[in-house]
Amino acid sequence: MWKIVIIDDDFQVVRGLRKAIPWEELDAEFAGEAIDGEAGLKLIEEVNPDIVLTDIYMPEMNGIQMIESLKSRGFTGRFVILSGYNDFEYARTALRLGVDDYLTKPVTVDQIRKVLAETILKLEETYLQRLEQTGEQNVPAVNWRQEEWTASILNGLSQPEELPAALAEWQSKQFTVMVIEVTWTERTRNISIADWNLFRFAVSNISEEVLGGEWQTASFVWLFGNYAAVLLRSEQGTDGQLAAASAGRLGGMIINNLKSYIGLDARFGLGRTKDSWHEIKASCDEALQGLLEDPNQEQEAEGEESGGSELSFNTIHEKHRKAVQFMIEYVHTHYAEDITLEQLASQLYISKNYLNQLFKKVTGETFTNYVIRVRIEKAKVLLLEGKHLIYEVSEMVGYQNVPYFTTLFKKYCGVTPSELMKQ
């Protein structure tokens, strides 16, 4: 929530502004008031507001002097001047100091709403730029997990001298990499980003279920775009040809299950078995090369020319993409919990209303609708497993009210949970 202070020696102006500002609409709060520049300095140091609304002509210290003092101290908030005089010299000085707007009193409710909305938009853009520049450092809710580390090794983004403590067992393993490509078809070529991420979610679930039954020391990770990888670990001394044969059989099972359960076409390539984790990237490159040298590449090339979901995803402004991608990943990790837009807004330092607009602009649907669809997709997988009762599945995907869950499920799937289980 954005904090706004008002610095003005006219109590009627302060009272009028407090009533006129649409606090809830702007996702803002009143953080305090002061009657002159000196008192304003103390207030701003105490509450560290995001926006300062200030008059110019005040006793003790005027508004321009206060702004100059705050700038010299490194204050990064925004300033809006509300002056009773249209003074050109003051306006020019304000411009030099980077003031966001210079309004002449009296101001209308529409004027103040418009100016504050634009100022907040600038603040949000600043935070998004910071997010882009420092990457994951400014995203506190996503921890560095094993699969992220594995993906960075496979992509060649990280090659530390030593393994993390949690992966110490890898020192005594052999590694074979399988790369899975979800091929572009009429069904997948023009889907939205939201739908593409749901497809990825389903591919992950199906692949991990196969791996859990056939090769429990395997790791499934997404590489980039429509390419995923399976890192297969085996004991040192395992015959390379035997490992390759087992990996090939496993790849066939995954591809068949993807086609059978969700109707996705996919194929895979295998790298050679390596004796050290330092060679994981080399095995991954061999698997990718095997896919590229496959004679059936004409359809893939055609798909790239036509433009797939991932291609359009990459054209989105980078700082917007990072914020939305964080939201998507958070939903897929925390779908069983109570997820609110307010939580994510506070973590990304972006107002709730703007964040919802941004998510809809990028994905084509509202954040609330996306959360529901992810939960229902996971519920379908759990129900088809047949290991849980309907009320248990409802709770596992974040719904304590079973009738409400059933209503949502039928709306999105066309059948009730019980009807799906009978099928």
Side-chain angles (χ1 to χ4, degrees):
M1 186 168 285
W2 305 105
K3 293 191 289 187
I4 300 175
V5 298
I6 303 173
I7 317 296
D8 200 304
D9 60 344
D10 188 328
F11 293 109
Q12 289 185 338
V13 170
V14 175
R15 190 182 305 114
L17 286 171
R18 290 188 62 176
K19 290 182 178 179
I21 293 173
W23 301 100
E24 186 174 348
E25 177 187 326
L26 296 171
D27 195 26
E29 63 178 341
F30 176 68
E33 62 184 77
I35 61 172
D36 59 57
E38 285 190 356
L41 285 177
K42 294 178 182 178
L43 173 65
I44 290 166
E45 287 178 354
E46 289 175 5
V47 303
N48 190 30
D50 300 290
I51 300 173
V52 177
L53 283 172
T54 182
D55 191 9
I56 290 182
Y57 297 100
M58 298 181 293
E60 304 299 332
M61 177 186 289
N62 67 39
I64 293 295
Q65 292 169 330
M66 181 189 71
I67 293 172
E68 288 177 328
S69 178
L70 287 166
K71 289 284 187 179
S72 68
R73 301 180 191 187
F75 178 70
T76 58
R78 300 281 181 166
F79 297 95
V80 175
I81 288 179
L82 302 173
S83 176
Y85 302 90
N86 191 6
D87 190 305
F88 176 75
E89 285 303 318
Y90 273 131
R92 187 166 64 178
T93 303
L95 184 64
R96 176 178 59 80
L97 290 171
V99 169
D100 286 270
D101 221 315
Y102 188 107
L103 298 176
T104 303
K105 299 175 185 176
V107 295
T108 66
V109 173
D110 287 340
Q111 279 180 310
I112 197 67
R113 179 191 287 112
K114 180 176 181 293
V115 166
L116 288 176
E118 291 174 351
T119 304
I120 287 172
L121 183 61
K122 293 174 185 176
L123 281 167
E124 289 165 341
E125 288 293 332
T126 299
Y127 280 117
L128 284 170
Q129 287 169 4
R130 196 172 301 166
L131 186 70
E132 179 185 23
Q133 292 165 0
T134 59
E136 298 300 321
Q137 184 178 353
N138 281 334
V139 183
V142 178
N143 295 320
W144 185 255
R145 302 184 298 269
Q146 176 178 329
E147 59 264 31
E148 293 168 331
W149 189 90
T150 304
S152 73
I153 293 290
L154 289 163
N155 277 313
L157 302 176
S158 174
Q159 192 67 31
E161 294 183 2
E162 296 183 3
L163 284 164
L167 304 180
E169 59 158 337
W170 285 21
Q171 296 286 7
S172 59
K173 302 295 182 183
Q174 292 180 170
F175 303 89
T176 307
V177 177
M178 175 196 308
V179 174
I180 299 172
E181 176 195 12
V182 178
T183 56
W184 296 124
T185 63
E186 288 301 321
R187 184 183 178 198
T188 58
R189 200 168 285 167
N190 297 311
I191 61 175
S192 68
I193 295 167
D195 284 332
W196 174 244
N197 278 281
L198 285 172
F199 271 126
R200 283 169 55 116
F201 184 52
V203 170
S204 300
N205 282 337
I206 291 170
S207 300
E208 287 169 357
E209 185 173 338
V210 173
L211 296 174
E214 300 291 328
W215 200 313
Q216 295 185 357
T217 58
S219 302
F220 178 93
V221 295
W222 282 96
L223 292 176
F224 52 84
N226 54 322
Y227 290 89
V230 177
L231 179 61
L232 302 162
R233 302 188 297 280
S234 53
E235 296 299 326
Q236 284 284 357
T238 301
D239 181 81
Q241 290 185 338
L242 181 61
S246 298
R249 181 178 61 84
L250 186 66
M253 291 178 64
I254 292 174
I255 300 306
N256 289 336
N257 277 302
L258 291 177
K259 183 67 174 178
S260 174
Y261 287 111
I262 55 177
L264 279 185
D265 292 320
R267 57 203 188 104
F268 70 93
L270 287 175
R272 286 177 290 184
T273 301
K274 306 296 182 182
D275 293 329
S276 168
W277 67 272
H278 289 284
E279 299 178 277
I280 289 174
K281 175 64 167 60
S283 183
C284 183
D285 288 344
E286 291 168 0
L288 280 167
Q289 189 63 32
L291 284 171
L292 293 174
E293 292 175 353
D294 190 287
N296 298 319
Q297 282 297 312
E298 188 173 344
Q299 182 181 4
E300 163 64 12
E302 182 184 346
E304 289 180 357
E305 289 174 6
S306 300
S309 170
E310 185 67 23
L311 183 61
S312 62
F313 186 58
N314 287 336
T315 63
I316 297 167
H317 200 293
E318 179 66 13
K319 55 180 177 284
H320 290 173
R321 186 191 69 80
K322 282 181 178 290
V324 173
Q325 186 63 30
F326 166 75
M327 295 171 74
I328 289 171
E329 290 176 0
Y330 188 91
V331 171
H332 283 276
T333 304
H334 300 273
Y335 61 85
E337 302 170 15
D338 182 22
I339 302 175
T340 66
L341 201 55
E342 288 84 351
Q343 290 173 334
L344 295 179
S346 65
Q347 293 183 58
L348 289 168
Y349 302 98
I350 302 173
S351 75
K352 178 183 68 176
N353 293 336
Y354 180 75
L355 196 58
N356 195 39
Q357 293 172 11
L358 179 62
F359 190 88
K360 187 173 183 180
K361 178 181 178 183
V362 173
T363 67
E365 65 180 321
T366 65
F367 178 72
T368 299
N369 192 63
Y370 187 78
V371 172
I372 293 172
R373 293 213 298 135
V374 169
R375 286 171 167 172
I376 297 302
E377 187 71 24
K378 181 61 178 177
K380 283 172 62 178
V381 174
L382 292 169
L383 289 167
L384 289 172
E385 285 178 355
K387 299 177 181 178
H388 306 283
L389 299 174
I390 293 173
Y391 83 89
E392 292 176 324
V393 172
S394 177
E395 293 177 353
M396 291 168 72
V397 298
Y399 295 112
Q400 302 302 316
N401 186 322
V402 179
Y404 178 64
F405 164 70
T406 301
T407 301
L408 282 177
F409 193 92
K410 185 170 184 179
K411 176 182 177 182
Y412 282 82
C413 301
V415 293
T416 64
S418 58
E419 289 171 342
L420 180 72
M421 295 175 75
K422 289 176 182 177
Q423 292 176 0

